Amino acid sequence: MDIQYSIQDNRINVLFDRASDNKKDQQLRIEALISFQQIIENEKHLLEPGLFQIICGFLKDSMFEIREWTIDFLEYAFTTCGLNRSLLKDSLGKIIPAVGYTVSFEESTNIVKKAILWNAGVYPLIYERVCENAYDAEHLWTTSTSIKSQIMRYFDSPGTKQGIKICAVKYLQSVIKVQSRHVHDSQVVPQNDISLALCPPSHPILNPLMLEKEAIAIINGLYNLFNKESSIVITAIINALGPVFRSRPQYIYPLIKIVKKWKHNPPDHLPETPLKSAKKAIKIQLTSLLRIPVFESSSFANEIFDAILILGGKNDPMKFPRQYRRLLQQKDGIEDGTRQKVYGAQGSSMLPIDPTQFALPFVVDVIHLALQSIPQERLNQAKQVLQQREARLAALRTLPTPPPTNKQERRSRKTLDPRLEFVREATPKSPSPPPVVMTEDEMTLIKTESSNSTQSEESTTKREFSPPNLYDDDMEIDDAATVDIEVPQDQQMDILEAENKVDSKPEPEPEPEQQPLPPPVPTFKFQPYALPPPETLSDDQCHSFIRNALKNILEIDAMLSPDTKGKRSDVVLTTLSNGKRMSKNQLHMMASRLLTRGLDLSSEKSKKTCDELREMIIQYILEDFKNRTDFALTWFDEEWYHDSIMLSEDPSYKPNYVIWLNRLLDRIMPTLEDRIFFTQFLLNVPELQEDIVDRIKIFLNDPDRMSLGLYTISELINQRPPSRPFCMKILLAYCLHKDIRTRGSAISTANKWFPDHPTIGPNIESFALQSIKQLCDECPPPLFDYHYHVDNVNDPKMIEDENELMKWNNNDVERHLDLFLSICSKKNELFDQLLSIYVKTPESMQMLIRKNAPKMVETVGINGLLNLFLTFPEGAEDFVLKMLVVYTNKQVTPPAQLVNTAKTVIMERNLEGRFLFPIIAFFEKGEIIRNLPKVIATLDATDKQRDIVKKVFLKILTPPPNGTAPITPSELLVSLHQMDKAGISLKQSVEAIHICFLLPNIFNQQTLGTVLQQLFIQSELPTTFMRTVTLAVRAYHALGGFVNEMLSRHISQIWENDVLRKGFILYVTEFCLKVQPNNFRFLLQLPKEKILDILKQRDQTLSKALKKYIENLKPEQKRTIPQFLFESLEIGT
């Protein structure tokens, strides 16, 4: 099992090795996994995303029990274990691909069902993870979407088992709840509901509108399954939709329509008994909805009630809530013909009926039944009486009235028609405005004005009425105004008597003759009125009045904020005395203009008062910033506009907009968590200056809120082009940040606009090129000031410490390369710019750049690597070689195109042998032997180079997973003895042969015996032959007999070559003194001339040893020694 993640706990390592070993007993493997789960139950902190990835590897195991255990463990970890929610989100990217493979290709039905149910549980978690951070979750969402498609295809496959379909319904239930909008009338608390409200409108991956359409399509598809699936699946769908109805009531009505359709056209594919079972399940779900208080007052409660009746709900009325039992009894009475319950005798005890609880078709049916029960003669008589009453009322409206005597008399007269009085009482009154707090001076002023107004009104009443001038421009008449008509007392009595007679007799009496009356006179008078002159208020009174007015406005807004939460900002607040309605937005505008235009700012005292009022608004907004953002925006709009007007008149004017916006931001940012409201606030303020945007560094420097800062600055770049330059400056500066996590997040954000955006993309490319050009400098450039300084005052000591001159290190080079490499992955031709800069840098910088080769290989890929080999400039050989080594080390077998291209370039440019190191193992046998001299030529008697060539030999001799090595060890060693023919020095050849003897596992005794035998049969012994013989016998003494015999046969040939002769003498010396001490049998078997030549060497160690050996022999043994040795060694006979 390939474990890339490093497990710290040795216990887990041992258990995983045992569980992943296919050769072990199945029971032992399962017991190892069970032991691992017991460890996790006691030490939950050991679970990490990397560990989850290793566990998911067991989903592809050949044992069914191990695959089932893996799914069960994932279910335990995500539901029962109680792990941190953030840990689970981070682990999803490691788990989802493996589970998706199980859903698509697993053969066991039980495992597939468990995998689908696990996906149903984690789908809200996946959606929440993608909403929170879209920059590294695209692959997660794509994989989850493919799983969703696979699960939905189970319904189209005819061979899918019912158990899998039921689990798939559970999964689709989770998808529908997540991909739907939260409804305020639902039973779920909004804070705990994962819905489309979590997804920002400008999300780069998720489209809320398309997700909602998909949810609607899914639930319609489930409803369509009613027409083809079995009753078991239909019942499962209905039971799964129960929780959906409670949280998403908008999906109830289609089910009601299906029930109504079943009343006349039930499904044909279901027999009677399964159909009853399905109807019963629907009835249970709908009845349970009626018991929820939230749904009792909903607009579709009566529709649900009617659907239950269609399904046979009247058979068990006690299951209904109380009010629906009463309604059921009333409906039963009408259906059974017992209409006395509705049209009962006077005085019968009958429950009060609220007609608003009935559906409209039901009310129409009741009215129709009631009219049918009344005789036609009675209907004609009632119609005639109504016509006569209407005629008399029309005659009364034409009667003129005398002018009123005084105001009190006009008010005492009422309209005779009681229906008009009913309408007047039913008209709702305007809500009374909230109380206003006033000072004593203001109360005195208002009382004075009130008394003056009363006196003026009384004087106006006493004046005589004069007809108005119809062409007076100053007069305005309201179209809705009505004129009361006064009727004389004697005529009123006649009218009352006539109405009574109409009600008692079928035939109306003849009307009395109408007497001519004077023309009607309006009840209002136009009198000239002059307002009293306004009083002059002191500055303190003005300030006090404005302060109190602002307090009242804020109190009113505070009281209305909870009620208007979530509604439009222009909700109607109150009705003014002139009939106009004031909205909440207008209230905010009034408060804002009080600050900017309500005071004369010519004095310092007025300015101080105005600042106090602004501080009052700041405090008010901070109390509930989320719900008072509209107020803040209205205020800052007015401040900005007022500043622009004042600056046009007086350039020395000090604007207030920037000052107070900065103060508000400084107070809300330390504790702000909601990125959407904060970003929307900055997008809507009238102007953003660099100092305001600079505050976003506070978020970017905080690891827990870095995503908030990046989201904000990304939206500002997208939607506020005037602020784009200094926003881009901050974002690109963080692309060079020292912290790798911060730098990576900033680069991911910047990559959104490259290369598609016409203006932002070129800026990113220019900055990336400039960052790599700085690698040519002797020292790294000064760091960007990543700290936000209050009032834009920089800390010189801090900047000096950070920008202290120092030499380049690997971290500096890496942060200058990261952004450039990220955009190279989208635009490969930019990589040539890096090569042109590389050849200009010093050797130390080139080494640092080559250390980042793994990132560069991932960036350019195979196509970029091929292009790099064909076009790299002179001086970039080491760079290209490093890239080739990194790529071949990652791949088990590199593409043939890369190997062929490398061979061609090496031959055309006559490159050194080190370029063969990464690819020679993938050559054919003949090519390896031909190119082997170039490899040997790189040896320079250093341990480093010997290790490199040793690795090359290992790579050549190691067979691939599903094949054989291109050359055998014996063939390689034999080839190394022919290097002198290719111009390789004897020293390098011997060094290469020594390297082979450093690999005893490959060059064993059998291999060396084969090599020596092949060398012995050659027509001419190689120059390095005796060195190989000495090393072989030294390593394996058992080869001594074979070697000595072969050497005896070739002694003449050996003595003809001076190098071989010297090697032979060294071999004999080592063999007689070390390999087999005091064994001179091999030496004594040699010819006389060869023995004497060996003994005449400068080193007399062998001669002395031989002399001592002969002297210690017994007399009879000395007779076997040749006589010339006694003479040569000066031994007495």
Side-chain angles (χ1 to χ4, degrees), residues 225-226 229-239 262 269-270 278:
L225 294 177
F226 287 4
E229 289 292 345
S230 63
S231 62
I232 298 176
V233 178
I234 295 175
T235 304
I237 294 173
I238 296 168
N239 294 334
W262 281 8
H269 71 289
L270 290 179

Side-chain angles (χ1 to χ4, degrees), residues 481-594:
T482 57
V483 180
D484 295 336
I485 301 176
E486 303 290 342
V487 183
Q489 185 71 20
D490 54 349
Q491 295 185 13
Q492 291 182 10
M493 294 302 296
D494 294 340
I495 291 171
L496 291 174
E497 292 176 0
E499 288 184 351
N500 293 332
K501 292 179 181 180
V502 169
D503 293 337
S504 60
K505 295 181 181 181
E507 295 295 335
E509 295 182 358
E511 300 179 359
E513 296 182 1
Q514 299 180 358
Q515 299 180 359
L517 297 174
V521 180
T523 59
F524 53 85
K525 297 182 180 181
F526 293 91
Q527 299 292 342
Y529 175 72
L531 291 173
E535 292 186 7
T536 302
L537 301 178
S538 63
D539 290 344
D540 292 339
Q541 288 178 326
C542 291
H543 297 170
S544 176
F545 181 80
I546 293 178
R547 185 182 292 106
N548 291 330
L550 183 61
K551 287 182 180 179
N552 291 336
I553 292 174
L554 298 182
E555 289 176 0
I556 295 172
D557 186 71
M559 289 187 292
L560 291 175
S561 292
D563 299 333
T564 58
K565 181 179 179 181
K567 300 181 181 178
R568 297 176 59 186
S569 60
D570 58 348
V571 63
V572 175
L573 178 64
T574 184
T575 303
L576 303 179
S577 58
N578 60 359
K580 295 182 179 180
R581 298 186 301 176
M582 175 181 286
S583 67
K584 191 175 181 183
N585 196 20
Q586 291 171 331
L587 187 70
H588 297 165
M589 183 65 70
M590 181 187 299
S592 302
R593 292 187 177 179
L594 276 176

Side-chain angles (χ1 to χ4, degrees), residues 145 169 239 385 398 523 564 590 747 1119:
T145 304
V169 168
N239 294 334
V385 170
T398 59
T523 59
T564 58
M590 181 187 299
I747 291 173
R1119 295 189 186 100

Side-chain angles (χ1 to χ4, degrees), residues 61 325 513 626 817 907 980 986:
D61 195 272
R325 294 181 211 163
E513 296 182 1
K626 187 175 181 180
L817 286 174
M907 293 177 60
D980 55 342
L986 178 62

Side-chain angles (χ1 to χ4, degrees), residues 19-20 22 29 57-64 66-67 106:
S20 59
N22 295 328
R29 298 178 64 193
F58 291 112
L59 286 174
K60 297 182 180 180
D61 195 272
S62 58
M63 279 186 60
F64 160 79
I66 291 181
R67 300 198 303 273
E106 177 59 46

Side-chain angles (χ1 to χ4, degrees), residues 389-400 495 511 514:
R389 180 175 295 181
E390 290 295 332
R392 288 188 175 277
L393 292 176
L396 290 176
R397 296 190 185 96
T398 59
L399 296 178
I495 291 171
E511 300 179 359
Q514 299 180 358

Side-chain angles (χ1 to χ4, degrees), residues 187-234:
Q187 202 180 11
V188 183
V189 181
Q191 291 78 4
N192 302 332
D193 192 11
I194 298 178
S195 64
L196 289 178
L198 291 179
C199 181
S202 59
H203 198 281
I205 298 176
L206 303 179
N207 186 344
L209 183 60
M210 297 303 296
L211 293 178
E212 186 174 22
K213 288 183 178 180
E214 184 184 22
I216 296 173
I218 290 174
I219 198 163
N220 289 334
L222 291 177
Y223 286 147
N224 291 334
L225 294 177
F226 287 4
N227 298 323
K228 61 180 182 180
E229 289 292 345
S230 63
S231 62
I232 298 176
V233 178
I234 295 175

